[in-house]
Amino acid sequence: MENLRHTFLKAVNSAGQYSAYAAPALSNDFNTLPELLQKFFHRCGYTGQEKIECAHIKWNDTILRLSPQANWSSMRCYQLNFLSEPVRLVYMSIKWYGLFPLEAVDIYKDAQGQMLVKLLKMIPISNAKGKEMDAAELVTILAETMIIPHYALQKYITWEVIDPSNIKGIIHHNGISASGIFHFNEHGDCTQFTTQDRYRAKKNNKYQKTPWTATANDYILKKGIRFPTKFSATWHTDNGDYEYFKGSIKSVELNKTEFSGI
């Protein structure tokens, strides 16, 4: 039985076709965007850059809570996103209760979302998929515009200005749409994304649409690119807020698909 590390690496290899389309971006690519997003592009150093077709997000010091009552667990996390078609590939590995290896892959590829979880690298724990997972993956991709601003240029995302500090993004793919609100601070940094369109997995393969917030903070400039170094995700449940993911971003490598040390 294949472990999920191999599943992830196979998905990375098969998705490599999308990186073949990289080409210089024209300046008027950005001029069609709302002013808030144009300012964000300029601030992050992306104007004049080559077209971004994939981004390797290098995570550092990621932690996860498997339930609102659980303790935080350290996690290894590897992520690659492709842009011309929405593709998001994430591999995660933690020690459950500090003892048992638990690994997961979180994938949106070929217009399908899936979350696979295995214990001890071979015992299936979860295989979440279906239209709700497709929508959840798409809205997560939309949120990651905060980390990868070139998502704003993709044909499957449209924009509606709400006010001088907030803009609505709508992602459309394979007959599914999801949306969320991006908040920009007074400096032009995108610091928060909120949505009502993300589904949370429940028992018995059921899903519940639950308000969700992602935050991005502590922007730095590295190799000419400005990106947030702190990222977190929170469910807003009927029983209160459940922050379940926190991570530091070490770097964002563009148009590179190589992984080492995984």
Side-chain angles (χ1 to χ4, degrees):
M1 183 179 294
E2 182 177 73
N3 67 44
L4 295 185
R5 174 182 172 275
H6 291 149
T7 301
F8 170 76
L9 292 174
K10 282 173 61 176
V12 169
N13 290 335
S14 65
Q17 59 181 309
Y18 299 111
S19 65
Y21 302 105
L26 301 175
S27 60
N28 61 7
D29 285 344
F30 309 100
N31 296 337
T32 61
L33 295 173
E35 185 176 347
L36 268 175
L37 290 171
Q38 289 189 44
K39 183 178 180 180
F40 187 49
F41 263 100
H42 284 286
R43 186 162 173 77
C44 291
Y46 281 97
T47 50
Q49 293 281 336
E50 68 177 357
K51 186 177 180 182
I52 308 304
E53 289 300 337
C54 64
H56 176 187
I57 301 173
K58 287 195 168 184
W59 291 97
N60 194 25
D61 298 328
T62 53
I63 55 176
L64 185 74
R65 281 199 301 172
L66 298 176
S67 73
Q69 296 78 31
N71 294 325
W72 289 97
S73 298
S74 296
M75 175 175 69
R76 289 189 300 140
C77 185
Y78 302 86
Q79 180 170 350
L80 188 66
N81 292 39
F82 291 86
L83 278 69
S84 60
E85 288 292 323
V87 174
R88 181 177 183 270
L89 310 171
V90 184
Y91 171 80
M92 296 163 282
S93 176
I94 68 171
K95 289 290 183 68
W96 196 25
Y97 292 111
L99 297 172
F100 307 107
L102 189 74
E103 60 177 2
V105 289
D106 188 10
I107 289 177
Y108 186 83
K109 182 176 173 289
D110 300 327
Q112 292 184 324
Q114 187 175 26
M115 170 69 86
L116 284 163
V117 183
K118 287 184 179 180
L119 180 64
L120 303 175
K121 298 188 176 183
M122 57 184 176
I123 304 171
I125 299 296
S126 175
N127 183 7
K129 56 186 177 180
K131 293 298 183 183
E132 294 89 353
M133 274 301 298
D134 297 347
E137 295 287 354
L138 283 173
V139 82
T140 304
I141 288 171
L142 178 62
E144 288 178 345
T145 301
M146 294 190 289
I147 306 172
I148 311 167
H150 268 72
Y151 268 126
L153 295 172
Q154 306 310 309
K155 63 183 182 298
Y156 49 82
I157 297 178
T158 56
W159 301 96
E160 296 177 6
V161 175
I162 297 174
D163 58 40
S165 298
N166 297 280
I167 190 167
K168 181 179 182 180
I170 307 102
I171 187 167
H172 318 265
H173 195 243
N174 196 39
I176 294 176
S177 296
S179 67
I181 308 298
F182 293 85
H183 172 74
F184 295 77
N185 65 18
E186 66 274 16
H187 304 297
D189 292 332
C190 188
T191 59
Q192 189 176 78
F193 172 85
T194 60
T195 183
Q196 305 290 321
D197 289 345
R198 203 168 188 271
Y199 289 87
R200 185 181 174 203
K202 308 291 283 185
K203 294 180 179 179
N204 302 319
N205 295 319
K206 295 184 181 297
Y207 300 89
Q208 181 179 351
K209 191 177 278 192
T210 304
W212 184 78
T213 296
T215 61
N217 293 293
D218 294 354
Y219 280 75
I220 66 166
L221 183 67
K222 189 173 184 179
K223 295 182 179 179
I225 297 299
R226 199 163 181 275
F227 60 90
T229 59
K230 302 293 184 184
F231 198 85
S232 66
T234 302
W235 292 109
H236 304 288
T237 74
D238 294 339
N239 297 318
D241 291 350
Y242 163 33
E243 185 180 37
Y244 67 92
F245 174 87
K246 292 192 288 188
S248 300
I249 299 173
K250 181 179 180 182
S251 65
V252 181
E253 295 189 351
L254 306 174
N255 292 334
K256 294 181 180 179
T257 59
E258 299 85 5
F259 281 87
S260 60
I262 179 173

